[in-house]
Amino acid sequence: MTPGLPRPPKVIIFDFDGVILDSAGLKLRAYPQVYANEDADKVSAIIRHAEYHGGITRRVKFEYYEREIFGRSGDAASVDALCRRYFDIVFEGVLRCAFIDGALELLDRAAGKVRMHVISGTPDGELNEVVRERALARYFVTVRGAPATKRERFQQILSEEGCRPAEALAIGDSMTEF
């Protein structure tokens, strides 16, 4: 028998990539593809940064990389282009990737028993499209992505649900869920 929680949560708030879909690695590998023609040491720094800062939206990461790693302006037009390139690399793969082992079973067992939400650093429209295409929308009360931060999304859900942090269970794979 599996040990239970001290008390059932009022809500469960899931991260998405790496928690429901096995897509975190795919998304991490996209950064060096976007920067394929850049200095290898700088690309290695990007990979390290992206690994450590999982859950932060790609737009913020690209702004940081452009300014801090490459010394470029990180203007809106160049960041938009980088975001489009990243999307082109990852989107179809996310639609096809496997589920994390046990994720669907957990969603099925919890459905109707606890209110479930998704928060992600993925842009909101893209995240909702993936959730619809993967037939997951039925599980979740809300599906929310960037541009809001995960901290803002957690606060919104707790407020809307009328519960304290101790009454919610967050399931994630990065420090942004912690």
Side-chain angles (χ1 to χ4, degrees), residues 5-135:
L5 297 171
R7 62 189 165 301
K10 286 187 177 179
V11 298
I12 301 176
I13 305 170
F14 293 88
D15 178 31
F16 194 70
D17 298 298
V19 171
I20 295 174
L21 291 185
D22 195 7
S23 49
L26 170 86
K27 289 188 167 189
L28 180 63
R29 289 187 301 274
Y31 288 103
Q33 291 177 51
V34 169
Y35 286 113
N37 297 323
E38 299 288 352
D39 176 82
D41 289 338
K42 291 180 179 183
V43 173
S44 293
I46 287 169
I47 294 167
R48 285 190 304 276
H49 180 274
E51 285 175 326
Y52 186 77
H53 293 91
I56 295 174
T57 189
R58 66 190 72 150
R59 176 167 214 81
V60 170
K61 288 177 183 170
F62 283 128
E63 289 169 350
Y64 176 82
Y65 302 152
E66 287 298 293
R67 291 181 184 131
E68 301 302 321
I69 293 178
F70 295 108
R72 299 187 284 237
S73 72
D75 62 278
S78 63
V79 171
D80 286 345
L82 292 165
C83 288
R84 280 191 303 278
R85 172 82 176 115
Y86 183 93
F87 171 86
D88 290 343
I89 292 168
V90 302
F91 188 70
E92 290 300 320
V94 172
L95 290 179
R96 291 187 314 270
C97 73
F99 287 95
I100 292 291
D101 288 339
L104 279 178
E105 293 81 1
L106 173 60
L107 294 173
D108 284 334
R109 287 185 67 186
K113 296 177 184 151
V114 63
R115 293 171 60 82
M116 295 184 285
H117 301 265
V118 168
I119 62 168
S120 176
T122 300
D124 195 60
E126 181 182 328
L127 175 65
N128 275 279
E129 186 174 349
V130 170
V131 168
R132 276 191 309 276
E133 290 291 321
R134 298 301 299 257

